[in-house]
Amino acid sequence: MLVLGIETSCDETAAALVESASALRATTDREWRIRSNVVASQVDIHREWGGVVPELASRQHVRDICGVVERALADGGAGWHDVDAIAVTQGPGLVGSLLVGVSFAKSAAWALGKPLVAVNHLAGHIESIWLDHGPIALPAVVLVVSGGHTSLYLVQREGEYALLGRTRDDAAGEAYDKVAKLLGLGYPGGPIIDRLAKDGNDIAIRWPGTRLTNPDRNAPERDGRFDFSFSGLKTAVLRHVRQRQGELGVEQLPQAEIVDLAASFQRRVVETLIERTFAAARWHGAKSIGIAGGVSANSRLRRDALAKSERSEIPVYIPSLPLSTDNAAMIAAAGLRQLAAGRLAPPDLNAAASLPL
Ligand code: KG4
Ligand code: ZN
């Protein structure tokens, strides 16, 4: 079973070939193999504007999609007629961008007479863990942390995801991007702050605490126990920067202050993500933890989560870097789950900008 995955939800045009000996056995064996994984990033286009411009993104997807898919086929040593099924991101994401992938996938499936499956982008991020590491011990708690989402899921059976908590405001990646913009560092902010933070003092600035966690340990069912919030931290950074700009009478803060700020900000974000994820895992008796999505590429998050994993003796699985950020191999993997469950998409499939998982 050879699945062509297509992903165009934001600013990456991506296509990949993932192979499984049998879609039905995909849930029990580690039989997924990545034959190709092609990503055309639009970062250089959007950088000029300080963030993703939806109209530019969809136009660029139109330009890139044919070449990216042809390259994925060529890299995987396959032709169109070797493809057994097509998996495409239906949502969530930018609707104009999603429509390019969905229209392309529908046309290709129709022309080839092959099944089409619709994939939720977040399911793709979750499945990137299984794609990279094979079956992990269940139940698992999985943190999906990206530019648009910061959510915790409980996976009791492969391919089934129950929401445990999510951000009430900004996603962690969004906070990274906004803070970087505020500091005049460029786009996307995550990798830039990650790099600068390595040279900074992470306790240079003390941020006010967030009061979100329900203190009542006996009422876990109460809404919001495992929720996140990053807008308070973002505002604290803004206030701090404005105050220091005023004190120094400058627009651009000295580099030494910026690296300390980056390190202190990153420390708080990473501590919050890890604390809540491990708390959810303990509460639900999870046998393993997964961390996926663009922010899982963060060097400190990876290091600290693995260190805590050793201390607390609960295994933590994070996908390799190319599978952490947006890609189509994860979409093909999630598509294999849908195929195994017999959930095919109708020929009139439409994009869904706020598709829930
Ligand atoms: O999953 P992704 O590629 O796209 C979405 O689905 O949103 O995630 C993109 C997000 C951006 O906010 C980016 O700044 C962040 O992931 N990111 C990082 C790092 N690399 C990417 N954040 C922190 N540290 C990184 N190394
Ligand atoms: Zn993503």
Side-chain angles (χ1 to χ4, degrees), residues 43 47 176-177 180 183-202 255-256 258-267 270 294-295 297-301 303 321:
V43 161
R47 184 175 288 129
Y176 265 98
D177 295 337
L183 294 170
L185 297 175
Y187 175 86
I192 301 171
I193 292 186
D194 191 6
R195 202 175 56 241
L196 291 176
K198 293 193 170 94
D199 300 322
N201 171 7
D202 66 4
Q255 186 69 3
I258 290 182
V259 296
D260 283 353
L261 214 152
S264 306
F265 166 79
Q266 173 150 296
R267 177 197 172 109
V270 167
V295 181
N298 184 265
S299 61
R300 178 158 188 174
L301 178 58
R303 193 186 66 218
L321 291 178

Side-chain angles (χ1 to χ4, degrees), residues 121 125 146-148 173-174 176-177 188-191 194 293-295 297-298 324-326:
H121 182 81
H125 276 305
S146 69
E174 191 180 354
Y176 265 98
D177 295 337
D194 191 6
V295 181
N298 184 265
S324 291
T325 45
D326 285 352

Side-chain angles (χ1 to χ4, degrees), residues 10-154:
C10 189
D11 60 346
E12 263 103 22
T13 317
L17 286 176
V18 174
E19 190 177 25
S20 156
S22 138
L24 291 173
R25 282 165 61 198
T27 53
T28 53
D29 289 322
R30 184 185 179 175
E31 292 186 337
W32 294 346
R33 188 166 79 90
I34 300 174
R35 295 239 314 233
S36 64
N37 192 10
V38 178
V39 180
S41 171
Q42 305 178 359
V43 161
D44 290 339
I45 295 167
H46 302 292
R47 184 175 288 129
E48 194 180 330
W49 307 91
V52 178
V53 183
E55 187 57 31
L56 294 180
S58 46
R59 286 168 192 231
Q60 195 60 32
H61 285 305
V62 172
R63 288 190 197 100
D64 286 342
I65 185 92
C66 294
V68 165
V69 170
E70 279 165 5
R71 177 72 185 272
L73 292 170
D75 283 3
W80 275 111
H81 290 282
D82 300 315
V83 172
D84 296 306
I86 297 178
V88 65
T89 306
Q90 184 191 7
L94 302 170
V95 75
S97 293
L98 290 164
L99 275 169
V100 177
V102 167
S103 312
F104 186 95
K106 284 199 295 189
S107 315
W110 176 261
L112 295 171
K114 294 291 161 76
L116 176 71
V117 283
V119 171
N120 185 302
H121 182 81
L122 300 178
H125 276 305
I126 295 173
E127 295 301 341
S128 69
I129 293 163
W130 275 259
L131 180 59
D132 216 1
H133 297 280
I136 65 175
L138 299 179
V141 161
V142 178
L143 170 69
V144 179
V145 58
S146 69
H149 294 85
T150 304
S151 304
L152 280 168
Y153 293 92
L154 179 65

